[in-house]
Amino acid sequence: MATIINGKELALSLKQEMAANVATFTEKYGRVPHLVVILVGEDPGSVSYVTGKAKASEEVGLKNTTIRKPDTISEEELLGIIDELNNDDTVDGILVQLPLPKHIDTDKVIAAIKAEKDVDGFHPMNVANLWLKQPCTLPCTPKGIIKLLKRAGVEIAGKEVVVVGRSNIVGLPVSKLLLNENATVTIAHSRTRDLGEVTRRADILVVAIGRAKFITADMVKEGAVVIDVGVNRDPESKKLCGDVDFAAIEPKVSAITPVPGGVGPMTITCLMENTIECFLRKMER
Ligand code: GUN
């Protein structure tokens, strides 16, 4: 029987700690940290994430403003909104929910956010500082994964880690964070030859490819630790499911994150933490 790594529970206890801290800052600085989320369009996944971010902000005691714009918004107008928020001293964190409509250049939008207010850790300056091991805002999902592994008591140093997926949001940054923890890291992806042969080497397997139940039991080593970043709809049951076939893999591994209730709640919690960090850096400058 595997240990089920409970992200929901850890997220709740971290949010409670943060709420207590936020109450203290409010006394000290006279206001609470303020996160602004920009949502373009009505993609159901994005709407649900943005709602979750607003709810978590409330739980932690942060001010949250959600700016909703239609998917016909021009790039120029979106950049104008970001410029205003960059120059607004009452705004500590800015997040543009991705994906953006095709007519908008996502890289340009991300780079337009002031690095000090980039709570996603996606700005080129934050990405560079992550790879240079300099102080920076860490992307939320990778940060949450490291916290989950540590809380579950998983030793990372010296382990064979395989990350499946090479996105800027998860695969690449989590690989760097695991390398910083002294793991031996392999990054596998859609073009990897004999993926199963590679994933079976993993003591710790991190999967972020966005394909329902893509990792099957035969692709996982006995006793491995499995971190499932996927949030998909099972084409048959229509229920939420991860990138790994949980029911088939759970009996074989030592620990595994569920979907939902694993990595997801930690991502939002780390966003709250990043917003507080941006606020404190500003107040203490
Ligand atoms: N869309 C999916 N994940 C994320 C995320 O972590 N941040 C933003 N801004 N958009 C996303």
Side-chain angles (χ1 to χ4, degrees):
M1 274 281 285
T3 302
I4 309 299
I5 303 177
N6 191 332
K8 198 172 166 186
E9 198 174 275
L10 176 56
L12 187 66
S13 84
L14 291 173
K15 281 188 284 189
Q16 283 166 348
E17 279 170 34
M18 280 189 264
N21 290 337
V22 168
T24 315
F25 310 146
T26 316
E27 293 234 330
K28 186 167 174 195
Y29 299 113
R31 69 175 182 87
V32 296
H34 182 193
L35 169 66
V36 178
V37 175
I38 304 174
L39 172 63
V40 177
E42 287 169 8
D43 169 68
S46 293
V47 170
S48 145
Y49 283 130
V50 166
T51 311
K53 286 162 187 173
K55 182 169 165 274
S57 301
E58 201 173 306
E59 286 165 2
V60 172
L62 306 187
K63 181 175 173 189
N64 181 292
T65 305
T66 303
I67 300 176
R68 291 167 187 260
K69 291 287 171 187
D71 62 6
T72 50
I73 189 176
S74 67
E75 185 179 285
E76 196 185 356
E77 192 187 340
L78 181 57
L79 292 172
I81 294 169
I82 291 170
D83 189 47
E84 268 181 39
L85 296 170
N86 280 340
N87 294 311
D88 183 341
D89 272 344
T90 69
V91 172
D92 306 294
I94 304 169
L95 180 146
V96 178
Q97 186 63 36
L98 303 179
L100 287 169
K102 286 204 169 51
H103 67 276
I104 295 177
D105 181 343
T106 300
D107 290 338
K108 197 167 165 184
V109 168
I110 290 171
I113 298 169
K114 243 189 201 175
E116 304 95 274
K117 296 191 181 189
D118 165 38
V119 285
D120 260 329
F122 293 170
H123 187 280
M125 193 57 81
N126 280 317
V127 176
N129 282 331
L130 162 64
W131 287 89
L132 296 169
K133 263 190 163 177
Q134 293 298 308
C136 63
T137 296
L138 295 176
C140 303
T141 302
K143 189 177 183 179
I145 290 170
I146 301 294
K147 282 183 195 285
L148 270 181
L149 286 169
K150 289 191 171 172
R151 180 59 73 105
V154 177
E155 174 86 30
I156 302 172
K159 293 289 173 64
E160 286 282 346
V161 178
V162 176
V163 176
V164 185
R166 53 179 158 175
S167 70
N168 290 338
I169 296 183
V170 185
L172 292 181
V174 81
S175 300
K176 175 58 176 158
L177 291 182
L178 289 159
L179 195 56
N180 289 355
E181 298 291 334
N182 301 308
T184 302
V185 182
T186 302
I187 304 175
H189 46 79
S190 53
R191 300 282 292 272
T192 296
R193 228 184 321 126
D194 197 353
L195 181 62
E197 190 271 321
V198 177
T199 55
R200 273 190 298 277
R201 287 186 224 150
D203 301 314
I204 302 171
L205 180 63
V206 180
V207 190
I209 40 167
R211 290 169 71 174
K213 299 184 178 177
F214 181 75
I215 301 290
T216 48
D218 60 303
M219 297 168 82
V220 179
K221 180 165 78 177
E222 195 94 30
V225 173
V226 178
I227 304 292
D228 188 352
V229 184
V231 183
N232 313 293
R233 283 274 160 212
D234 186 328
E236 283 151 31
S237 71
K238 309 290 177 213
K239 284 191 183 152
L240 274 191
C241 74
D243 290 347
V244 313
D245 185 350
F246 183 92
I249 285 173
E250 187 270 333
K252 195 175 173 183
V253 298
S254 62
I256 184 166
T257 57
V259 177
V263 174
M266 289 302 295
T267 296
I268 295 194
T269 300
C270 289
L271 174 66
M272 301 298 112
E273 192 177 274
N274 283 354
T275 306
I276 294 169
E277 283 172 9
C278 287
F279 168 82
L280 288 178
R281 276 198 292 269
K282 183 156 97 189
M283 290 304 180
E284 286 160 8
R285 255 201 302 272

